[in-house]
Amino acid sequence: MEAQEEKEAQVAAWLKKIFGDHPIPQYEVNARTTEILHHLSERNRIRDRDVHLVIEDLKQKASEYEAEAKHLQSLLIESVNFSPANLSSTGSRYLNALVDSAVALETKDTSLASFIPAVNDLTSDLFRIKSKNEEIKLELAKLEKNLTATLVLEKCLREDLKKAELHLSMERAKVDNRLQNTGFLKAKSEEFRFGIRTAEEQLSARGMDASLSHQSLVALSEKLAELKRQTIPLKKKLESYLDLMPNPSLAQVKIEEAKRELDTIEAELTKKVDMMEL
């Protein structure tokens, strides 16, 4: 319990340090939130300690570099009786340019032996960057070409999609019209079927022969067509007899037989037709 209270106190102190004069956001104080915030505060403390150590190290190095610079300056003055303060404005500019170049090239000193390798490395980097830029330009040109082709293809696809949508709309209108017509025809068919059934029932009630019903008439019509089809070969057979030059008496007998058969068929056809007309 005391450890939990100690953690809560550490968390509260850390939050107050973080937010300063600003109000601390409200949060639910429980074991889980306290543990999470305590863990964050510990990590923040360790990071602050590491940053402080790095800063102290940099300060120490800066002090060492400054002392080294003063030492070198004193040696320069003692050896050649030279001081940067004695330089002209042009000499100061050259010296500053030399120092800036050494800093930019990251050389250890301003000697020619340090500058030449640094310039060579910089030149190599420049050529490598130029080569990379050329590759990027080629890749960019290729991408632009592909992008142009893609845009053209997209435009064509959009146009095709519009045409397809228009065609689909027209086909849908046709289908709707056909559905309406189909519904109308179905309704009419049911109406006619009901009318035929009603008429047949009325005729049947009045004593009409069942053979004169719609179905019977349809069957008779089909049978009539079949009989007409059967008469075709008989007529052809009769015509073949007429073309022959046989014994006159025998031919006359065959002709009479064919005529009687044809008369029988025609009489039956006439009967059927008359029944259908009734």
Side-chain angles (χ1 to χ4, degrees):
M1 186 66 179
E2 294 180 357
Q4 180 68 20
E5 293 178 353
E6 183 180 356
K7 287 183 179 181
E8 291 178 359
Q10 291 176 359
V11 167
W14 174 66
L15 291 175
K16 185 176 181 181
K17 179 182 177 181
I18 292 295
F19 289 97
D21 297 333
H22 298 284
I24 299 174
Q26 296 294 326
Y27 66 94
E28 183 181 354
V29 180
N30 54 42
R32 177 174 173 77
T33 56
T34 301
E35 186 66 28
I36 293 173
L37 292 174
H38 183 265
H39 178 70
L40 292 176
S41 66
E42 287 296 319
R43 294 191 62 179
N44 184 260
R45 183 180 61 80
I46 294 172
R47 187 192 64 180
D48 290 344
R49 184 192 63 189
D50 294 340
V51 171
H52 179 72
L53 292 175
V54 171
I55 291 173
E56 292 298 327
D57 183 62
L58 292 176
K59 287 181 178 180
Q60 182 179 355
K61 288 183 179 180
S63 300
E64 292 175 358
Y65 291 153
E66 186 177 357
E68 181 69 18
K70 290 180 179 179
H71 175 66
L72 293 175
Q73 186 176 3
S74 63
L75 288 178
L76 183 62
I77 294 173
E78 291 175 1
S79 60
V80 296
N81 194 22
F82 173 79
S83 174
N86 298 330
L87 291 175
S88 63
S89 59
T90 303
S92 297
R93 288 198 303 271
Y94 289 161
L95 181 60
N96 291 332
L98 186 63
V99 172
D100 293 339
S101 299
V103 172
L105 294 173
E106 298 180 354
T107 59
K108 64 180 181 179
D109 52 38
T110 57
S111 64
L112 190 62
S114 297
F115 271 114
I116 290 176
V119 172
N120 289 337
D121 292 341
L122 189 62
T123 303
S124 299
D125 292 341
L126 179 62
F127 281 117
R128 186 172 61 255
I129 292 172
K130 285 184 177 180
S131 177
K132 188 66 176 178
N133 286 339
E134 291 297 327
E135 293 178 0
I136 293 174
K137 285 182 180 179
L138 292 175
E139 186 68 20
L140 182 60
K142 183 179 179 181
L143 290 175
E144 288 178 351
K145 183 178 179 181
N146 293 336
L147 178 60
T148 302
T150 303
L151 291 175
V152 172
L153 179 60
E154 181 183 5
K155 183 178 179 181
C156 294
L157 290 175
R158 288 182 182 277
E159 293 177 354
D160 292 340
L161 179 60
K162 289 181 180 179
K163 293 179 181 178
E165 290 177 349
L166 179 61
H167 180 70
L168 180 61
S169 177
M170 295 173 62
E171 289 297 323
R172 186 180 292 112
K174 291 181 180 179
V175 170
D176 293 339
N177 189 22
R178 289 174 182 173
L179 289 175
Q180 292 178 358
N181 292 337
T182 302
F184 175 76
L185 292 175
K186 285 183 177 179
K188 283 296 182 182
S189 176
E190 290 296 329
E191 182 180 349
F192 291 150
R193 187 178 291 108
F194 179 76
I196 291 172
R197 189 181 302 112
T198 303
E200 288 179 349
E201 291 176 355
Q202 292 176 354
L203 292 174
S204 178
R206 294 175 182 177
M208 185 196 74
D209 190 357
S211 62
L212 298 178
S213 64
H214 176 70
Q215 294 181 351
S216 299
L217 292 176
V218 171
L220 289 173
S221 177
E222 294 176 353
K223 188 173 181 180
L224 176 61
E226 178 64 20
L227 291 173
K228 287 182 178 180
R229 187 184 64 80
Q230 293 177 2
T231 59
I232 294 174
L234 294 175
K235 288 182 178 181
K236 291 182 178 180
K237 183 177 180 181
L238 179 60
E239 291 175 355
S240 64
Y241 287 137
L242 294 175
D243 293 336
L244 294 176
M245 295 297 295
N247 187 345
S249 58
L250 182 59
Q252 187 65 32
V253 172
K254 292 292 183 182
I255 290 172
E256 292 299 329
E257 291 178 356
K259 283 183 177 182
R260 284 195 298 270
E261 186 176 356
L262 182 59
D263 291 338
T264 302
I265 294 173
E266 287 181 351
E268 186 177 355
L269 286 175
T270 302
K271 181 181 179 182
K272 298 293 184 182
V273 171
D274 293 338
M275 290 178 65
M276 290 179 65
E277 290 178 353
L278 292 175

